[in-house]
Amino acid sequence: AEGGKDLGYVPAAVFAKKVGETVTTPNGLVYEPLELGSDGSGPRVGPPRSGSVVWVKYTGHTESFDGPVFDSSKLRGSRKANKPDYVEIRLNLEPSITNGLNEALKLMKVGGKGRFVQPPLLSYSEGRTPFEPDDEGDVKGKVAANATLFYDVELVAIVKP
């Protein structure tokens, strides 16, 4: 990732093919598929591309997959009128989403569930600065710079391929 230009992007040939078989992206994200999702193909099945509009459920943890929650789609959705437990994002064009989440979603098909370890490089500000967690999460104070983060993720739908 020379100069950070490829953060949030993965080569098309890199995606989750088998449950339990981890996939590591060129930027060091390690994704483990727990369910592969649809076995169909086509733009609405995935994997989604940059610019795709997707619905995603996720929970971000510090320390480990069982660690304190710093952000989640459920927390974000709870503040909306219809209280969805997912968020709608446009891949690579949503500043409130990490490059790690952008990369992980590009490894998935609709209905897929998994978890990933996000290196600091793929965090906000490439891990250089601490950031504010969701006020309603478990983490009080800022999430430290250079933190490795742990996410559970589900690709609910590709709304616009």
Side-chain angles (χ1 to χ4, degrees):
E2 299 281 318
K5 67 181 183 319
D6 295 327
L7 299 179
Y9 295 88
V10 293
V14 178
F15 62 93
K17 299 171 181 76
K18 196 170 159 195
V19 169
E21 193 172 275
T22 61
V23 179
T24 303
T25 69
N27 293 317
L29 178 126
V30 181
Y31 174 76
E32 179 189 355
L34 302 174
E35 290 176 33
L36 291 178
S38 174
D39 59 1
S41 60
R44 290 199 178 269
V45 175
R49 313 183 302 262
S50 299
S52 296
V53 177
V54 300
W55 288 354
V56 58
K57 295 181 186 180
Y58 71 90
T59 305
H61 306 263
T62 57
E63 298 168 27
S64 73
F65 287 111
D66 300 317
V69 173
F70 69 87
D71 185 18
S72 77
S73 53
K74 196 169 183 175
L75 289 171
R76 291 185 188 207
S78 70
R79 294 186 283 271
K80 292 192 159 71
N82 60 344
K83 307 271 188 256
D85 60 352
Y86 61 85
V87 290
E88 182 173 297
I89 59 172
R90 197 155 169 220
L91 290 184
N92 295 93
L93 295 165
E94 176 54 68
S96 74
I97 296 297
T98 66
N99 278 319
L101 194 53
N102 284 318
E103 288 196 8
L105 289 165
K106 291 176 189 168
L107 306 174
M108 304 175 72
K109 285 185 162 184
V110 168
K113 296 180 182 179
R115 57 196 205 164
F116 64 91
V117 179
Q118 174 181 284
L121 180 67
L122 293 171
S123 191
Y124 303 106
S125 76
E126 296 175 26
R128 287 191 293 265
T129 53
F131 67 90
E132 295 287 344
D134 192 293
D135 289 343
E136 294 166 51
D138 303 327
V139 176
K140 302 304 173 212
K142 293 189 176 193
V143 176
N146 268 322
T148 296
L149 301 172
F150 301 81
Y151 282 82
D152 298 294
V153 62
E154 175 182 352
L155 179 55
V156 179
I158 298 174
V159 184
K160 185 174 170 288

